Amino acid sequence: MTSPGSTSLLLTVFNTAAAGDAERDVSRCCASRPFAEAIVAGRPYADFEALDAAIDAGFAGLGWVDVAEALNDHPRIGDQTASGWSEAEQARAAAAPDDVVAAITDGNRAYEDRFGHVFLICATGLSGEQVLAALRYRLGNDQAEEHRIVADELRKITKLRMRKLLGG
């Protein structure tokens, strides 16, 4: 984690990149077009705290359709085909005992049947057991509450990914 008011060379490069290049980079972190456009339009960012605030504001302006667009870029938790950031973010959950992985797989199906989209959780640092407990708990939510939680989990993932991308 960076100190308050910190910046990096990569953040400076991002601030000065062509809009299309910057939008492509933001889209790697969150595949919502309106979100990427808002983050790019808000440049330059003085430091990572300013970028974090812009991410929060960007998410506050998203509707469910925008969040759902971004979900299309996320693999299922525990999916063996996850790669890149998703694979690293899910590493602890993927290392869970076979019975936990099987329960997550079954829970993913139940969740998708109930809500119509992948179960999304900021899995960085979470064990398989923690992911499974959250999945089981969230299956009891209503649609409105789950939409709120999914948007917040996506926001957390996006912040982590933007920091990774930009050296923060």
Side-chain angles (χ1 to χ4, degrees), residues 72-124:
N72 292 328
D73 201 43
H74 285 269
R76 287 180 183 96
I77 291 287
D79 190 337
Q80 299 302 314
T81 63
S83 62
W85 282 333
S86 293
E87 181 180 26
E89 292 160 357
Q90 297 180 24
R92 284 200 62 212
D98 290 346
D99 63 319
V100 173
V101 172
I104 290 171
T105 299
D106 291 344
N108 279 333
R109 278 193 286 275
Y111 183 94
E112 289 174 25
D113 288 346
R114 177 157 165 65
F115 295 108
H117 56 81
V118 298
F119 171 71
L120 188 74
I121 188 168
C122 184
T124 299

Side-chain angles (χ1 to χ4, degrees), residues 42-56:
R43 296 177 306 159
Y45 298 104
D47 53 34
F48 287 106
E49 289 68 29
L51 178 60
D52 283 346
I55 291 169
D56 290 341

Side-chain angles (χ1 to χ4, degrees), residues 14-69:
F14 173 74
N15 280 333
T16 60
D21 293 338
E23 194 170 311
R24 181 197 65 234
D25 287 343
V26 174
S27 293
R28 289 178 50 211
C29 300
C30 178
S32 164
R33 179 172 291 228
F35 174 78
E37 290 171 351
I39 295 301
V40 171
R43 296 177 306 159
Y45 298 104
D47 53 34
F48 287 106
E49 289 68 29
L51 178 60
D52 283 346
I55 291 169
D56 290 341
F59 268 89
L62 295 182
W64 178 251
V65 170
D66 306 316
V67 172
E69 176 186 21

